[in-house]
Amino acid sequence: MRNIVAGNWKSNKLMNEGIELMDAITKGLPTLHKTEVIVAPPAPYLAQFSAQYKAHAVHLSAQQCSEHGHGAHTGEYTAEMLHSSGVTHVIIGHSERRDRFGESFEVVRSKVNQAIGASLHVLLCCGESLEVRESEEHFELISKQLKDALADVDSAKMANITIAYEPVWAIGTGVTASADQAQEMHRFIREQLGNWFNPQVASTTRILYGGSCKPSNAAEIFGQPDVNGGLIGGAALEASSFLSLVAASEAS
Ligand code: PEP
Protein backbone atom coordinates (compact mmCIF):
# COMPACT_ATOMS: atom_id res chain seq x y z
CA MET A 1 0.00 0.00 0.00
CA ARG A 2 1.49 3.33 -1.05
CA ASN A 3 1.64 6.26 1.33
CA ILE A 4 0.12 9.60 0.39
CA VAL A 5 1.63 13.01 0.99
CA ALA A 6 -0.96 15.65 0.11
CA GLY A 7 -0.45 19.40 0.26
CA ASN A 8 -3.45 21.61 0.95
CA TRP A 9 -2.61 25.16 -0.06
CA LYS A 10 -5.93 26.49 1.27
CA SER A 11 -6.48 30.13 0.15
CA ASN A 12 -2.79 30.85 -0.39
CA LYS A 13 -0.63 31.70 -3.42
CA LEU A 14 -1.46 33.89 -6.38
CA MET A 15 -1.33 32.22 -9.78
CA ASN A 16 2.32 33.11 -10.50
CA GLU A 17 3.36 32.01 -7.01
CA GLY A 18 1.47 28.77 -7.42
CA ILE A 19 3.23 28.06 -10.70
CA GLU A 20 6.58 28.76 -9.05
CA LEU A 21 5.76 26.34 -6.24
CA MET A 22 4.51 23.63 -8.61
CA ASP A 23 7.62 24.06 -10.76
CA ALA A 24 9.85 23.65 -7.71
CA ILE A 25 7.90 20.62 -6.42
CA THR A 26 7.83 18.84 -9.76
CA LYS A 27 11.52 19.56 -10.42
CA GLY A 28 12.55 18.43 -6.92
CA LEU A 29 10.51 15.23 -6.72
CA PRO A 30 12.62 12.10 -6.47
CA THR A 31 11.61 8.88 -8.21
CA LEU A 32 8.77 7.72 -6.01
CA HIS A 33 8.76 4.14 -4.75
CA LYS A 34 6.10 4.15 -2.08
CA THR A 35 4.39 7.53 -2.09
CA GLU A 36 1.62 9.21 -4.05
CA VAL A 37 2.05 12.97 -4.09
CA ILE A 38 -1.06 15.13 -4.26
CA VAL A 39 -1.32 18.91 -4.42
CA ALA A 40 -4.54 20.81 -3.70
CA PRO A 41 -4.11 24.36 -5.01
CA PRO A 42 -6.90 26.94 -5.08
CA ALA A 43 -9.70 25.88 -7.43
CA PRO A 44 -9.16 28.60 -10.08
CA TYR A 45 -5.75 27.09 -10.94
CA LEU A 46 -6.79 23.46 -11.27
CA ALA A 47 -7.57 23.27 -15.00
CA GLN A 48 -4.37 25.03 -16.01
CA PHE A 49 -2.23 23.02 -13.59
CA SER A 50 -3.74 19.80 -14.84
CA ALA A 51 -2.65 20.65 -18.41
CA GLN A 52 0.69 22.15 -17.42
CA TYR A 53 1.87 19.39 -15.06
CA LYS A 54 0.30 16.39 -16.80
CA ALA A 55 3.65 14.74 -17.38
CA HIS A 56 4.61 14.83 -13.69
CA ALA A 57 3.94 12.41 -10.85
CA VAL A 58 1.76 14.87 -8.97
CA HIS A 59 -1.97 14.30 -8.66
CA LEU A 60 -4.23 17.29 -8.39
CA SER A 61 -6.90 17.64 -5.76
CA ALA A 62 -9.64 20.17 -5.18
CA GLN A 63 -10.08 21.43 -1.63
CA GLN A 64 -13.81 20.75 -1.73
CA CYS A 65 -16.66 20.27 -4.23
CA SER A 66 -20.35 21.04 -4.44
CA GLU A 67 -22.83 18.89 -2.59
CA HIS A 68 -25.03 19.23 -5.70
CA GLY A 69 -24.87 17.94 -9.24
CA HIS A 70 -25.11 20.31 -12.21
CA GLY A 71 -27.88 22.90 -12.29
CA ALA A 72 -28.82 26.32 -10.96
CA HIS A 73 -26.32 26.59 -8.11
CA THR A 74 -24.52 29.87 -8.74
CA GLY A 75 -20.87 29.82 -7.72
CA GLU A 76 -20.70 26.08 -7.11
CA TYR A 77 -18.45 23.69 -9.00
CA THR A 78 -19.44 20.09 -9.21
CA ALA A 79 -17.39 16.96 -8.70
CA GLU A 80 -18.00 16.07 -12.35
CA MET A 81 -16.61 19.45 -13.46
CA LEU A 82 -13.48 18.81 -11.43
CA HIS A 83 -13.09 15.37 -12.97
CA SER A 84 -13.58 16.79 -16.47
CA SER A 85 -10.79 19.34 -15.73
CA GLY A 86 -8.24 16.62 -15.01
CA VAL A 87 -8.60 16.68 -11.23
CA THR A 88 -8.32 13.24 -9.62
CA HIS A 89 -8.84 13.91 -5.90
CA VAL A 90 -10.97 16.07 -3.64
CA ILE A 91 -10.66 16.94 0.05
CA ILE A 92 -14.00 16.65 1.84
CA GLY A 93 -14.95 17.44 5.40
CA HIS A 94 -11.95 19.59 6.31
CA SER A 95 -12.54 21.12 9.75
CA GLU A 96 -12.28 24.63 8.28
CA ARG A 97 -15.18 23.82 5.94
CA ARG A 98 -17.17 22.21 8.74
CA ASP A 99 -16.56 25.05 11.21
CA ARG A 100 -16.34 28.19 9.07
CA PHE A 101 -18.68 27.28 6.23
CA GLY A 102 -21.21 25.36 8.26
CA GLU A 103 -20.78 22.03 6.50
CA SER A 104 -23.03 19.65 8.39
CA PHE A 105 -22.69 15.87 8.52
CA GLU A 106 -25.38 15.73 5.84
CA VAL A 107 -23.53 18.12 3.52
CA VAL A 108 -20.28 16.18 3.97
CA ARG A 109 -22.11 12.94 3.12
CA SER A 110 -23.65 14.50 -0.02
CA LYS A 111 -20.24 15.75 -1.13
CA VAL A 112 -18.70 12.32 -0.63
CA ASN A 113 -21.48 10.81 -2.72
CA GLN A 114 -21.08 13.41 -5.48
CA ALA A 115 -17.32 12.85 -5.57
CA ILE A 116 -17.59 9.06 -5.69
CA GLY A 117 -20.24 9.34 -8.40
CA ALA A 118 -17.83 11.46 -10.44
CA SER A 119 -14.94 8.98 -10.00
CA LEU A 120 -12.90 11.31 -7.84
CA HIS A 121 -10.76 9.89 -5.04
CA VAL A 122 -11.88 11.40 -1.73
CA LEU A 123 -9.56 12.58 1.03
CA LEU A 124 -12.13 12.46 3.82
CA CYS A 125 -11.18 14.52 6.86
CA CYS A 126 -12.22 13.96 10.44
CA GLY A 127 -10.95 15.48 13.66
CA GLU A 128 -11.94 16.64 17.11
CA SER A 129 -11.61 20.01 18.83
CA LEU A 130 -9.54 20.40 21.99
CA GLU A 131 -12.74 20.64 23.99
CA VAL A 132 -13.93 17.28 22.68
CA ARG A 133 -10.55 15.64 23.36
CA GLU A 134 -10.43 17.04 26.86
CA SER A 135 -13.88 15.68 27.58
CA GLU A 136 -12.66 12.32 26.23
CA GLU A 137 -15.33 12.14 23.56
CA HIS A 138 -12.89 12.10 20.64
CA PHE A 139 -13.29 8.44 19.69
CA GLU A 140 -17.05 8.77 19.68
CA LEU A 141 -16.95 11.92 17.53
CA ILE A 142 -14.49 10.54 14.97
CA SER A 143 -16.56 7.40 14.68
CA LYS A 144 -19.71 9.47 14.15
CA GLN A 145 -18.10 11.78 11.58
CA LEU A 146 -16.79 8.89 9.52
CA LYS A 147 -19.76 6.56 9.83
CA ASP A 148 -22.09 9.31 8.71
CA ALA A 149 -19.91 10.48 5.82
CA LEU A 150 -19.53 6.90 4.56
CA ALA A 151 -23.14 5.86 5.09
CA ASP A 152 -23.85 5.48 1.35
CA VAL A 153 -20.45 4.10 0.35
CA ASP A 154 -20.17 0.34 -0.18
CA SER A 155 -17.07 -1.80 0.35
CA ALA A 156 -16.07 -1.74 -3.32
CA LYS A 157 -16.19 2.06 -3.42
CA MET A 158 -14.00 2.32 -0.32
CA ALA A 159 -11.07 1.91 -2.73
CA ASN A 160 -11.83 5.55 -3.64
CA ILE A 161 -11.61 6.82 -0.08
CA THR A 162 -8.59 7.88 1.95
CA ILE A 163 -9.17 9.11 5.47
CA ALA A 164 -7.29 12.03 7.01
CA TYR A 165 -7.30 12.25 10.79
CA GLU A 166 -6.72 15.91 11.61
CA PRO A 167 -7.16 16.89 15.25
CA VAL A 168 -8.46 20.47 15.04
CA TRP A 169 -6.25 21.53 17.96
CA ALA A 170 -3.19 20.62 15.87
CA ILE A 171 -4.15 22.36 12.62
CA GLY A 172 -2.05 25.45 11.97
CA THR A 173 -1.19 25.73 15.67
CA GLY A 174 2.30 24.28 15.69
CA VAL A 175 1.06 21.70 18.20
CA THR A 176 1.29 18.20 16.74
CA ALA A 177 -0.45 15.15 18.07
CA SER A 178 2.19 12.85 19.53
CA ALA A 179 3.05 9.83 17.45
CA ASP A 180 1.26 7.70 20.08
CA GLN A 181 -1.89 9.83 19.93
CA ALA A 182 -1.91 9.63 16.13
CA GLN A 183 -1.32 5.87 16.13
CA GLU A 184 -4.02 5.30 18.74
CA MET A 185 -6.64 7.12 16.70
CA HIS A 186 -5.54 5.62 13.39
CA ARG A 187 -5.76 2.12 14.88
CA PHE A 188 -9.24 2.93 16.18
CA ILE A 189 -10.35 4.18 12.75
CA ARG A 190 -9.02 1.03 11.09
CA GLU A 191 -10.91 -1.13 13.58
CA GLN A 192 -14.09 0.81 12.87
CA LEU A 193 -13.63 0.30 9.12
CA GLY A 194 -13.38 -3.43 9.81
CA ASN A 195 -16.65 -3.30 11.75
CA TRP A 196 -18.52 -1.24 9.16
CA PHE A 197 -17.11 -2.88 6.02
CA ASN A 198 -14.75 -5.86 6.13
CA PRO A 199 -11.17 -6.76 7.11
CA GLN A 200 -9.87 -6.02 3.63
CA VAL A 201 -11.23 -2.46 3.68
CA ALA A 202 -9.75 -2.05 7.16
CA SER A 203 -6.29 -3.11 6.04
CA THR A 204 -6.17 -1.36 2.66
CA THR A 205 -7.69 2.06 3.40
CA ARG A 206 -5.00 4.69 3.74
CA ILE A 207 -5.26 6.84 6.88
CA LEU A 208 -3.29 10.09 6.78
CA TYR A 209 -2.33 12.27 9.70
CA GLY A 210 -2.77 16.05 9.46
CA GLY A 211 -2.02 18.82 11.94
CA SER A 212 1.27 20.76 12.08
CA CYS A 213 3.10 17.93 10.35
CA LYS A 214 6.54 19.18 9.37
CA PRO A 215 9.98 17.86 8.44
CA SER A 216 11.04 17.67 12.10
CA ASN A 217 8.22 15.36 13.19
CA ALA A 218 7.23 13.55 9.97
CA ALA A 219 9.58 10.58 10.30
CA GLU A 220 8.17 9.61 13.69
CA ILE A 221 4.55 10.08 12.69
CA PHE A 222 4.86 8.41 9.26
CA GLY A 223 6.70 5.54 10.96
CA GLN A 224 3.63 4.52 12.98
CA PRO A 225 2.11 1.24 11.78
CA ASP A 226 -1.35 2.67 11.02
CA VAL A 227 -0.23 6.00 9.53
CA ASN A 228 0.00 6.05 5.75
CA GLY A 229 1.31 9.55 5.16
CA GLY A 230 0.03 13.04 5.77
CA LEU A 231 -2.30 15.84 4.76
CA ILE A 232 -0.14 18.91 5.02
CA GLY A 233 -1.15 22.57 5.34
CA GLY A 234 1.53 25.12 6.28
CA ALA A 235 4.51 22.95 5.37
CA ALA A 236 3.09 22.42 1.87
CA LEU A 237 3.55 26.10 1.00
CA GLU A 238 7.33 25.81 0.60
CA ALA A 239 8.80 23.34 -1.89
CA SER A 240 11.71 22.45 0.41
CA SER A 241 9.54 21.46 3.39
CA PHE A 242 6.97 19.67 1.21
CA LEU A 243 9.73 17.70 -0.53
CA SER A 244 11.24 16.81 2.88
CA LEU A 245 7.89 15.36 3.86
CA VAL A 246 7.79 13.33 0.66
CA ALA A 247 11.32 12.10 1.48
CA ALA A 248 10.19 11.16 5.02
CA SER A 249 7.34 9.13 3.54
CA GLU A 250 9.67 7.38 1.12
CA ALA A 251 11.99 6.51 4.00
CA SER A 252 9.21 5.30 6.33
C1 PEP B 1 -4.67 21.13 7.36
O1 PEP B 1 -5.28 22.18 7.45
O2 PEP B 1 -5.15 20.16 6.74
C2 PEP B 1 -3.37 21.03 8.02
C3 PEP B 1 -2.93 19.85 8.31
O3 PEP B 1 -2.74 22.21 8.31
P1 PEP B 1 -1.32 22.40 9.06
O4 PEP B 1 -0.39 21.38 8.47
O5 PEP B 1 -0.92 23.80 8.74
O6 PEP B 1 -1.58 22.15 10.50
Side-chain angles (χ1 to χ4, degrees), residues 38-95:
I38 300 169
V39 171
Y45 314 156
L46 283 165
Q48 179 173 330
F49 281 16
S50 124
Q52 198 165 337
Y53 299 102
K54 211 190 317 222
H56 297 276
V58 176
H59 302 280
L60 282 177
S61 176
Q63 298 173 14
Q64 67 111 23
C65 67
S66 178
E67 71 193 277
H68 304 291
H70 69 266
H73 309 293
T74 301
E76 290 287 88
Y77 49 89
T78 68
E80 257 188 307
M81 289 171 190
L82 291 169
H83 187 256
S84 74
S85 309
V87 173
T88 50
H89 293 66
V90 60
I91 298 169
I92 295 179
H94 192 283
S95 59

Side-chain angles (χ1 to χ4, degrees), residues 8 10 94 96 166 170-174 209-213 231-235:
N8 174 11
K10 309 188 182 185
H94 192 283
E96 288 158 14
E166 302 204 302
I171 293 182
T173 58
Y209 170 77
S212 297
C213 197
L231 179 54
I232 318 298

Side-chain angles (χ1 to χ4, degrees), residues 29-41:
L29 268 190
T31 303
L32 298 169
H33 298 290
K34 56 181 292 194
T35 309
E36 285 172 29
V37 175
I38 300 169
V39 171

Side-chain angles (χ1 to χ4, degrees), residues 7-25:
N8 174 11
W9 294 4
K10 309 188 182 185
S11 298
N12 292 296
K13 304 287 177 192
L14 298 179
M15 183 70 161
N16 62 322
E17 296 166 335
I19 289 171
E20 251 174 54
L21 180 52
M22 278 298 280
D23 281 348
I25 290 170

Side-chain angles (χ1 to χ4, degrees), residues 2-252:
R2 285 161 86 80
N3 286 343
I4 290 177
V5 174
N8 174 11
W9 294 4
K10 309 188 182 185
S11 298
N12 292 296
K13 304 287 177 192
L14 298 179
M15 183 70 161
N16 62 322
E17 296 166 335
I19 289 171
E20 251 174 54
L21 180 52
M22 278 298 280
D23 281 348
I25 290 170
T26 49
K27 279 196 190 103
L29 268 190
T31 303
L32 298 169
H33 298 290
K34 56 181 292 194
T35 309
E36 285 172 29
V37 175
I38 300 169
V39 171
Y45 314 156
L46 283 165
Q48 179 173 330
F49 281 16
S50 124
Q52 198 165 337
Y53 299 102
K54 211 190 317 222
H56 297 276
V58 176
H59 302 280
L60 282 177
S61 176
Q63 298 173 14
Q64 67 111 23
C65 67
S66 178
E67 71 193 277
H68 304 291
H70 69 266
H73 309 293
T74 301
E76 290 287 88
Y77 49 89
T78 68
E80 257 188 307
M81 289 171 190
L82 291 169
H83 187 256
S84 74
S85 309
V87 173
T88 50
H89 293 66
V90 60
I91 298 169
I92 295 179
H94 192 283
S95 59
E96 288 158 14
R97 302 288 320 170
R98 292 181 193 259
D99 297 345
R100 299 180 199 176
F101 299 93
E103 288 190 3
S104 63
F105 281 25
E106 194 184 354
V107 167
V108 170
R109 185 167 68 244
S110 301
K111 290 185 177 206
V112 168
N113 293 341
Q114 288 291 337
I116 297 280
S119 303
L120 291 176
H121 189 105
V122 175
L123 304 175
L124 174 62
C125 301
C126 59
E128 80 285 359
S129 65
L130 189 57
E131 200 184 357
V132 168
R133 179 162 277 262
E134 283 177 347
S135 57
E136 297 188 0
E137 288 164 359
H138 44 300
F139 292 110
E140 196 184 323
L141 178 69
I142 298 303
S143 177
K144 222 161 117 188
Q145 285 177 338
L146 292 176
K147 192 168 187 194
D148 200 280
L150 298 173
D152 302 324
V153 179
D154 63 23
S155 302
K157 293 283 189 222
M158 278 302 291
N160 294 326
I161 302 275
T162 291
I163 289 167
Y165 169 57
E166 302 204 302
V168 179
W169 45 273
I171 293 182
T173 58
V175 179
T176 317
S178 69
D180 285 349
Q181 284 172 319
Q183 168 58 24
E184 182 186 38
M185 184 58 84
H186 284 226
R187 170 55 58 91
F188 171 76
I189 292 170
R190 217 175 275 296
E191 280 167 8
Q192 295 297 83
L193 294 175
N195 295 337
W196 301 332
F197 297 98
N198 58 48
Q200 205 220 339
V201 167
S203 61
T204 56
T205 300
R206 268 95 48 102
I207 308 176
L208 314 183
Y209 170 77
S212 297
C213 197
K214 43 190 179 269
S216 57
N217 58 28
E220 198 188 358
I221 292 177
F222 294 172
Q224 298 304 307
D226 288 297
V227 177
N228 309 112
L231 179 54
I232 318 298
L237 297 174
E238 294 287 338
S240 58
S241 49
F242 188 64
L243 290 168
S244 294
L245 293 168
V246 173
S249 162
E250 285 288 286
S252 69

